[in-house]
Amino acid sequence: MADLNTNIAVEDFMKTLPDSSLNELYESAFTCQMIFRSLPALAQQYVMRLLFVDAPVTLRALGQWAKKTSNVEHSKSVSRLMDLKVLQRKDEVSDVVKLNPIFRKSLLNALENPTHEGSADQTDKHKPNAEQIHSHAVSSWESVLGHILTAAIPAPSPLAPNLAVSVDRLLLRMGLVT
C-alpha cells in the first residue's frame, strides 16, 4: 500500500494542474484507479454511486447519502473530490455537481474491462499469445517424452541436465519408471 505522504504529495501536485492536464491524466484508467484508491471511504462511495448516474446531483442530495453524524467526513470528501476535479459543479453558482465525464468514462472502462490496455492489472506487454504458449508446451512435452524414451539408452538427454534430473525424480516418485 502506498505511503500516506506519497498520496498527499501526488494529490497536492494534481490540484495545481490545469483542467486540460487533469483531463489528459484522467484518460488513463490506471490514473483513475490510483486516484479512486487514494480517496477516503465516503468519497469512494460517492464516486461509485455517481459512476452509474449520468445526471447531475445536488450537493444536498449527496449529503443525504451519508449519515447525519458524518458531516465532517462528508465535507472533507466533497472538498477532496472537488479539489481533484473528480466532482465538478454544473456552473459557478450552482450546487449541482456531477462526476468529471472523462474520469467517469475511464473508471467505468477499468471496472468493466479489467484487462483492457491502460488498466492497472495489465503489467506485461510481452506476454505470449496462445500460439506461442501452445508451441512451448508441445516442445517441452516432446523433450520430456524424448528423455523418457532415451532413459534406457545411454545418450545425451534432450533436456537440460538439471531439468533431466528433476524429470527422473518425478518419474521415479510417480512409479512410471524403475
Side-chain angles (χ1 to χ4, degrees):
M1 190 167 177
D3 181 359
L4 181 61
N5 292 331
T6 304
N7 282 345
I8 292 170
V10 169
E11 288 180 17
D12 285 343
F13 168 72
M14 290 184 75
K15 288 177 195 176
T16 65
L17 295 174
D19 290 356
S20 59
S21 296
L22 265 179
N23 286 336
E24 231 177 287
L25 285 171
Y26 288 158
E27 287 177 1
S28 164
F30 179 78
T31 303
C32 293
Q33 288 175 342
M34 186 269 310
I35 291 296
F36 178 78
R37 289 176 182 152
S38 73
L39 295 172
L42 188 57
Q44 288 181 356
Q45 279 292 326
Y46 292 157
V47 169
M48 289 305 291
R49 287 181 180 207
L50 290 169
L51 201 57
F52 298 98
V53 176
D54 199 18
V57 176
T58 64
L59 287 173
R60 185 169 184 253
L62 202 64
Q64 291 176 343
W65 292 348
K67 292 180 184 177
K68 301 245 186 254
T69 58
S70 303
N71 285 338
V72 173
E73 284 180 64
H74 166 73
S75 296
K76 286 181 182 178
S77 294
V78 170
S79 175
R80 194 140 162 213
L81 290 169
M82 297 287 253
D83 287 344
L84 292 168
K85 296 179 182 74
V86 169
L87 199 59
Q88 299 176 327
R89 288 188 187 272
K90 186 175 178 182
D91 54 51
E92 293 298 319
V93 294
S94 172
D95 75 335
V96 177
V97 295
K98 66 176 186 168
L99 275 183
N100 177 321
I102 297 169
F103 181 90
R104 180 179 178 273
K105 180 182 175 188
S106 294
L107 191 58
L108 266 174
N109 187 34
L111 291 172
E112 292 171 351
N113 307 306
T115 58
H116 184 269
E117 188 167 345
S119 74
D121 296 332
Q122 185 177 11
T123 56
D124 187 7
K125 294 184 182 203
H126 304 291
K127 66 182 177 183
N129 60 29
E131 185 179 313
Q132 291 169 322
I133 293 171
H134 178 73
S135 173
H136 177 72
V138 168
S139 172
S140 296
W141 180 244
E142 287 176 357
S143 294
V144 170
L145 284 178
H147 177 73
I148 293 169
L149 294 174
T150 60
I153 306 166
S157 172
L159 294 177
N162 58 349
L163 186 56
V165 172
S166 297
V167 170
D168 287 340
R169 284 188 199 145
L170 175 67
L171 294 173
L172 283 171
R173 279 192 206 152
M174 299 303 293
L176 298 173
V177 294
T178 53

